[in-house]
Amino acid sequence: MLIVDTIAGLLGAVLLLRFWMQAIRVRPPTSVAQFTFQLSDWLVRPLRRVVPGMGGYDWASLIGAFLIVFLATSVLFFAGVPWQAVLLSALHRFLQWILYGFMALLVIEAIFSWVNPHAPLAPFIRALNEPLLRPLRKVVPLVGNLDLSLLVALILLQIAQLVLGMLFGR
């Protein structure tokens, strides 16, 4: 189960990153683009024939990520869990993946800001986080030239995780 979860988590993260990059119109560095597209094209291209992009969103990537989490969760079905419970568990895990992905991006940005704010990937990570942080920066004031919006965003994402756990009874 650990191997299945690890592979599914990596592939799901790549698909969610692909969706997010295209949703917010961020052009990734060449190395990130090559990695992302080569790892996910096998699933996204066939799905695009069935689910075309609408409204400027790459729905095939998002649906592909959900299919991966559903397949990884379907192991529960073979253990005798009803398919409705498997579907709910897959939805819960999918939403968790999204929240954890945002948290990871925020932590990576914090590390870049401390260690090397001029690192080649730093502007890309900042651009990925900007839609989350922009509304918070309007509300959270600078404290001694320190931007605490990153910390507030992490706390809000953790609260969302707790609410999600309560909604799904976990």
Side-chain angles (χ1 to χ4, degrees), residues 1 7 27 34 37 57 60 63 69 100 107 124 126 132 154:
M1 188 72 173
I7 293 170
R27 184 182 172 135
Q34 286 177 342
F37 295 118
Y57 295 103
I63 290 170
V69 75
Y100 282 133
V107 168
F124 172 64
R126 263 192 301 279
L132 294 173
L154 277 171

Side-chain angles (χ1 to χ4, degrees), residues 92 160-170:
H92 178 244
Q161 280 283 67
L162 292 172
V163 169
L164 188 64
M166 286 188 279
L167 287 175
F168 283 89
R170 291 188 162 78

Side-chain angles (χ1 to χ4, degrees), residues 77-131:
F77 181 73
F78 297 112
V81 177
W83 70 269
Q84 296 93 338
V86 171
L87 186 62
L88 276 177
S89 182
L91 180 62
H92 178 244
R93 285 180 69 188
F94 178 67
L95 295 172
Q96 274 186 320
W97 281 5
I98 292 170
L99 293 174
Y100 282 133
F102 284 136
M103 285 183 209
L105 287 172
L106 291 169
V107 168
I108 291 168
E109 182 171 345
I111 291 170
F112 274 143
S113 73
W114 297 331
V115 177
N116 185 3
H118 305 293
L121 285 179
F124 172 64
I125 298 296
R126 263 192 301 279
L128 289 173
N129 286 328
E130 188 58 28

Side-chain angles (χ1 to χ4, degrees), residues 19 22 47-48 51-65:
F19 173 80
Q22 292 181 2
L47 279 174
R48 279 200 182 130
V51 183
M54 293 185 308
Y57 295 103
D58 182 18
W59 295 110
S61 294
L62 192 64
I63 290 170

Side-chain angles (χ1 to χ4, degrees), residues 43-76:
L43 180 60
V44 172
R45 286 183 182 216
L47 279 174
R48 279 200 182 130
R49 291 187 203 118
V50 180
V51 183
M54 293 185 308
Y57 295 103
D58 182 18
W59 295 110
S61 294
L62 192 64
I63 290 170
F66 181 75
L67 286 175
I68 294 298
V69 75
F70 181 72
L71 287 174
T73 309
S74 66
V75 172
L76 296 173

